[in-house]
Amino acid sequence: MARKLRRALKVVTKAFEDEFHHQPGTVPGTIFIDADAPPPIIFLIDYNQTNFIREQIATPEECIPYLDMESVSWVDVQGLGSQDILQRLGRVFDLHPLVLEDVVNVPERPKTEDYEDQLLFIARMVVPKEKTCGFYSEQVSLILGKNYLLTVQEEPEHDCFEPVRSRIEKGKGIIRSQKADYLAYALLDAIIDGYFPVLELYGERIEELEEEVIVKPTPQTLQSIYQIRRELLQLRRAIWPQRDAINSLIRDGSDLISEDVRIYLRDCYDHTVQVMDMVETYRELASGLMDVYLSAVSNKMNEIMKFLTVVSSIFIPLTFVAGIYGMNFNTEKSPYNMPELNWYWGYPICLAGMGAIALCLVLFFWRRGWLQNSVPVKRD
């Protein structure tokens, strides 16, 4: 038990240590590219009420003509594996060095930063795993300009923005008639809504563990509880600062976000609070499962010890009788030296007496209620 707890604490500690941090003395704005990061793929979506363009572009410079148009341009960069492309992207969009640093150096704590003509929002996106309980997590950076929105994702494999792309392409809702700030809200809302399918899976898993803990607790059950608690802690660390960042957008305000979109952001903030409540509830349930598991294991051990105690209590007087008659005193020296050794029916009488003692003890234990639930139940 203690070894499993230490292992779980090491995993949680490692998760905190994996957070990116600069070496002392590093020049501000320095970017570091992870060797395992996939090469960036750039997609451009440009739209207004009547026109729609969606294409994959090879270089950041290809999106320059769209940035000065009245239409809304969404440049989606998926992958952080090329320092050259990311630096060229910074020059095209005139990104502040600290903005590019926050975007590239992952993981970064979710936050919002106002740079007058640009607004940076860093969020944490989660996508449920298909075959196992758990989720994929990646950083998404949104850089909002006057008529454009630049999004940068860690990798291209997992994405929750496809419903927004479909709404833009098919012209559903009001997104085609709104500006870039509404697009930023739509993507933030998609990120927050992506937490609910993940939490539904954890709710189902916790229900299964509740039955497993009560019916048949095993060491694997304990390991599953620890894993759920660790993953819920990761979700909490992702959604907590995200709530504060969205609240900052609503409270502080920005010239790049209209009053109408700020109203929509309130709904996004409500969803964030709801996600936080669900995460906290599931964490409490997981902690309760730990207590139930320990109680179930303790009760099972008590049942076993009670059963062994009853069996030992029955055999203690029998052992006493057998020990006395095992001393083999010489009856020729004295008639008081175990005359029963010379009886014809001495052995059967001794066995019958021992059986009678055992039966009397069983009846006594049964009348006192000590035999109830004393036999360990085999759980299938």
Side-chain angles (χ1 to χ4, degrees):
M1 181 71 68
R3 188 182 300 109
K4 292 181 178 294
L5 180 59
R6 288 195 297 269
R7 188 183 303 116
L9 291 176
K10 288 181 180 178
V11 172
V12 175
T13 304
K14 186 179 184 301
F16 281 94
E17 293 176 349
D18 287 342
E19 294 292 341
F20 179 83
H21 63 277
H22 286 295
Q23 295 295 330
T26 304
V27 178
T30 303
I31 62 175
F32 295 92
I33 303 299
D34 192 350
D36 298 332
I41 304 174
I42 306 177
F43 294 93
L44 170 66
I45 296 180
D46 188 86
Y47 65 90
N48 54 28
Q49 287 183 317
T50 57
N51 299 321
F52 170 80
I53 298 175
R54 180 178 181 179
E55 61 181 355
Q56 180 177 345
I57 59 178
T59 62
E61 289 78 11
E62 295 181 33
C63 63
I64 293 178
Y66 297 92
L67 300 182
D68 296 330
M69 302 173 70
E70 292 299 326
S71 57
V72 177
S73 300
W74 175 17
V75 180
D76 186 20
V77 181
Q78 302 178 5
L80 300 173
S82 174
Q83 184 172 355
D84 176 64
I85 291 180
L86 293 172
Q87 289 177 341
R88 291 161 60 186
L89 195 70
R91 290 193 294 267
V92 169
F93 287 90
D94 193 22
L95 300 180
H96 192 281
L98 295 180
V99 173
L100 192 61
E101 175 188 345
D102 291 338
V103 169
V104 177
N105 298 335
V106 295
E108 190 74 31
R109 189 176 187 270
K111 64 177 182 177
T112 179
E113 296 285 349
D114 192 350
Y115 289 87
E116 295 184 359
D117 57 341
Q118 290 179 337
L119 186 65
L120 169 66
F121 190 97
I122 296 179
R124 201 77 196 170
M125 178 172 63
V126 296
V127 179
K129 294 182 179 179
E130 297 179 356
K131 298 182 180 180
T132 59
C133 181
F135 57 90
Y136 301 102
S137 176
E138 66 169 301
Q139 176 176 305
V140 180
S141 303
L142 294 83
I143 303 171
L144 175 63
K146 183 178 180 181
N147 294 320
Y148 66 85
L149 178 67
L150 172 64
T151 59
V152 182
Q153 305 181 47
E154 284 188 51
E155 43 85 13
E157 295 182 4
H158 310 103
D159 188 304
C160 63
F161 294 155
E162 194 57 37
V164 179
R165 298 188 184 97
S166 178
R167 285 162 51 194
I168 296 175
E169 182 177 0
K170 298 177 181 180
K172 293 183 178 180
I174 63 174
I175 191 169
R176 292 273 289 268
S177 61
Q178 299 294 319
K179 296 181 183 276
D181 56 348
Y182 186 87
L183 174 61
Y185 150 73
L187 296 182
L188 284 176
D189 188 61
I191 292 174
I192 300 302
D193 290 344
Y195 282 80
F196 290 102
V198 175
L199 291 175
E200 288 178 2
L201 294 177
Y202 280 104
E204 296 174 359
R205 181 57 178 150
I206 288 176
E207 290 181 0
E208 296 174 358
L209 284 176
E210 286 179 346
E211 182 178 357
E212 184 177 340
V213 164
I214 296 174
V215 177
K216 188 180 179 181
T218 62
Q220 288 73 22
T221 305
L222 179 62
Q223 185 177 0
S224 299
I225 295 174
Y226 272 124
Q227 180 179 356
I228 286 181
R229 291 182 62 183
R230 292 196 301 267
E231 293 176 354
L232 288 175
L233 177 60
Q234 295 177 6
L235 283 177
R236 183 180 183 274
R237 294 179 59 207
I239 196 63
W240 188 282
Q242 211 147 277
R243 180 202 63 169
D244 297 337
I246 295 177
N247 187 36
S248 177
L249 288 178
I250 301 173
R251 183 184 65 251
D252 299 339
S254 173
D255 295 337
L256 296 173
I257 299 180
S258 63
E259 290 296 331
D260 294 337
V261 173
R262 191 169 287 112
I263 295 175
Y264 286 107
L265 286 174
R266 295 176 186 172
D267 180 68
C268 190
Y269 177 81
D270 292 339
H271 291 173
T272 308
V273 174
Q274 185 177 356
V275 170
M276 285 187 54
D277 291 341
M278 294 178 64
V279 171
E280 292 296 333
T281 299
Y282 289 155
R283 288 187 67 213
E284 292 179 2
L285 289 176
S287 299
L289 283 179
M290 183 67 65
D291 297 335
V292 173
Y293 173 85
L294 296 177
S295 298
V297 172
S298 178
N299 290 337
K300 184 178 180 180
M301 182 62 67
N302 290 338
E303 291 177 2
I304 295 174
M305 295 304 298
K306 185 177 180 181
F307 172 74
L308 295 178
T309 302
V310 169
V311 173
S312 301
S313 300
I314 293 175
F315 278 91
I316 284 176
L318 307 184
T319 304
F320 174 75
V321 173
I324 291 179
Y325 284 95
M327 291 187 292
N328 297 326
F329 285 100
N330 189 0
T331 56
E332 295 179 357
K333 296 295 182 179
S334 172
Y336 300 105
N337 288 346
M338 291 188 179
E340 299 90 354
L341 296 178
N342 296 322
W343 292 356
Y344 183 82
W345 297 101
Y347 180 65
I349 292 175
C350 182
L351 291 180
M354 295 170 66
I357 293 174
L359 181 61
C360 292
L361 287 174
V362 171
L363 293 175
F364 175 75
F365 292 153
W366 178 74
R367 292 291 300 272
R368 296 296 297 267
W370 293 351
L371 293 181
Q372 297 179 2
N373 299 327
S374 62
V375 180
V377 180
K378 183 179 180 180
R379 298 181 173 90
D380 298 328

